Amino acid sequence: MQKLYTTETLAELLQVSPRTIRRERKEGRLPFVRVRGQIRYRESDVRAYLERNASLSAEGTLASQTSWADR
């Protein structure tokens, strides 16, 4: 089963504010799913988002961390 992240957790991992995550979601740039009515982000979608937005990953975010499994 794929790992899912909350808005707050994802913001912390990407070193941005939760507001930034919500804005990216609302603009349709960051895919999400609803689990029992709550918004979650799939690990694979976040990785694809980071690949599309290299400027975020170049600033020391998840793409440069050693392992997602530790989260």
Side-chain angles (χ1 to χ4, degrees), residues 3 9 15-16 23-25 28 39 41 45 48 55 63-64 66:
K3 185 151 183 148
T9 301
Q15 299 176 353
V16 298
R23 182 180 61 241
E24 292 296 293
R25 180 186 76 228
I39 292 173
Y41 305 90
D45 290 336
S55 64
S64 66
T66 56

Side-chain angles (χ1 to χ4, degrees), residues 25-47:
R25 180 186 76 228
K26 287 178 184 177
E27 293 293 326
R29 293 185 288 257
L30 183 58
F32 67 96
V33 295
R34 288 194 182 266
V35 178
R36 295 185 179 184
Q38 297 182 357
I39 292 173
R40 297 291 185 261
Y41 305 90
R42 290 185 196 111
E43 181 179 344
S44 61
D45 290 336
V46 174
R47 286 182 179 270

